[in-house]
Amino acid sequence: MRAAFTVLLIALLALPAARAAHLAFVVDSRDAAVSVVDMDSKQQIRTIPMLREPHHLVLSPDQKSLIVGDTVGNSLFFLDPHDGALQKRITVADPYQLQFSPNGKFLTVAGNARRQIDIYDAASLTLLHRIPALTIPSHIAYTPDSKTVFVSLQGTDRLVAISTATGQELWKAKTGPTPAGVLYDDGRILVGIMGANYVQVFDPADGHEVTRIITQAGAHNLFLTPDHTQVWVCNRVAGSISVIDAKNFTPVRTYRITGGPDDIDFAADGKVWVARRFTSTVAVLDPRTGDYHLIKVGNSPHGLWLNTHLHNG
């Protein structure tokens, strides 16, 4: 009897551990919810209710929480990034866009409606600095040393640079109409100009314009590929994605994806997940062929994140 039990125990221990679920989290702004999608079956499996109007989400520096900002609900929802279980909810003013600094010490929140930029201590979520922003602070990027944070101001066509240590404005640069996505890469700041058809490139030291990269109408958000060789630009008005070389800014390819492409994320299998803001779907793009598969989610999908980053990290 004991021998049989020992054999059974050894057999059980030899079994492979259960594979963690490969999940995509999609923020459905107008449904006040987050859709959870099984990446393998490409089916929405459940929704996580929010309060009023969530938009963006970010992984905590310790990778223990996926944080969703409910803008109108003035709340941050902390979810388990492995399965979406709610960990806690805290009150934070107008968290439209939120990003942690590279060193994990700061959390910057762009208060789109309240016209303010808040810098928090990332560990305690104590408010360190509140910087008034005349109209519509939108997207966020940092320098690699975390000393400076850049925020686009959509209503005044400006890009502002702020010291994370002091909260002081370092410079403010004139942009094209309705600046949106901000990306720091290789000593340059790139800004998607949603009211036009280009990406504007700035020197992060003083904010002077370096060049412009022509894309298509409604250049909105910018994403650096995992290997840092390309920048993908979602042209929300044109219904396309422009791929440009990250070093010399030359065009590589354009993908036609209608429905207002907005936030994207890169999967480990090479596919690219795209939130289609004007439809209730996410597109899973095969960049080799340009073909994509549509997944039904909630209304006005915006922020998007894949938990396969955890498994590969």
Side-chain angles (χ1 to χ4, degrees):
M1 185 71 176
R2 180 176 296 178
F5 175 78
T6 302
V7 170
L8 177 60
L9 179 60
I10 292 173
L12 290 173
L13 291 174
L15 290 174
R19 181 181 61 80
H22 295 167
L23 301 177
F25 294 84
V26 185
V27 181
D28 304 319
S29 296
R30 291 185 181 173
D31 281 349
V34 173
S35 289
V36 182
V37 176
D38 184 287
M39 294 179 62
D40 298 318
S41 67
K42 295 184 174 55
Q43 296 291 323
Q44 177 180 309
I45 55 176
R46 66 189 181 95
T47 59
I48 304 169
M50 301 282 110
L51 288 178
R52 292 179 178 85
E53 190 177 319
H55 284 279
H56 294 284
L57 70 177
V58 66
L59 186 67
S60 62
D62 61 8
Q63 297 197 353
K64 293 181 179 179
S65 298
L66 181 63
I67 304 171
V68 183
D70 190 319
T71 309
V72 181
N74 294 307
S75 297
L76 295 181
F77 285 79
F78 289 67
L79 309 177
D80 186 320
H82 296 94
D83 58 15
L86 178 63
Q87 296 171 335
K88 63 180 178 180
R89 176 172 67 88
I90 67 171
T91 299
V92 166
D94 193 14
Y96 172 72
Q97 180 67 272
L98 57 161
Q99 288 292 332
F100 287 98
S101 59
N103 65 7
K105 293 183 178 181
F106 302 103
L107 172 66
T108 297
V109 172
N112 193 293
R114 296 195 180 197
R115 302 179 181 183
Q116 63 195 26
I117 300 166
D118 290 336
I119 300 177
Y120 293 86
D121 176 86
S124 65
L125 290 181
T126 301
L127 180 62
L128 301 175
H129 313 294
R130 173 161 289 168
I131 302 96
L134 292 179
T135 52
I136 315 178
S138 182
H139 290 67
I140 301 165
Y142 296 87
T143 51
D145 61 10
S146 303
K147 292 182 178 180
T148 305
V149 63
F150 306 91
V151 182
S152 56
L153 306 177
Q154 290 188 0
T156 52
D157 302 337
R158 296 289 189 276
L159 175 70
V160 62
I162 298 167
S163 166
T164 53
T166 66
Q168 296 300 306
E169 181 182 306
L170 302 175
W171 52 256
K172 189 178 286 181
K174 182 74 170 70
T175 69
T178 320
V182 185
L183 174 68
Y184 184 100
D185 180 48
D186 196 23
R188 298 162 294 188
I189 290 289
L190 283 68
V191 181
I193 305 302
M194 191 167 56
N197 63 339
Y198 58 86
V199 171
Q200 211 164 353
V201 183
F202 296 91
D203 186 320
D206 59 10
H208 78 266
E209 182 179 329
V210 176
T211 189
R212 297 183 181 186
I213 309 165
I214 301 300
T215 59
Q216 292 187 357
H220 180 68
N221 214 349
L222 320 171
F223 303 88
L224 191 64
T225 54
D227 63 5
H228 290 201
T229 62
Q230 297 176 344
V231 176
W232 285 47
V233 184
C234 289
N235 305 303
R236 207 162 70 175
V237 175
S240 67
I241 297 176
S242 299
V243 182
I244 59 178
D245 186 284
K247 295 297 181 184
N248 56 31
F249 298 147
T250 56
V252 174
R253 184 169 180 173
T254 300
Y255 296 98
R256 177 68 174 167
I257 297 184
T258 59
D262 201 306
D263 280 10
I264 69 175
D265 202 355
F266 300 96
D269 63 0
K271 301 294 178 59
V272 183
W273 290 58
V274 185
R276 300 169 77 222
R277 187 76 184 278
F278 305 148
T279 70
S280 300
T281 58
V282 168
V284 182
L285 169 71
D286 185 339
R288 296 167 300 178
T289 65
D291 296 330
Y292 57 86
H293 173 81
L294 295 180
I295 301 171
K296 178 70 174 176
V297 291
N299 195 12
S300 190
H302 200 177
L304 170 67
W305 183 80
L306 310 177
N307 79 352
T308 49
H309 299 304
L310 297 173
H311 308 146
N312 295 332

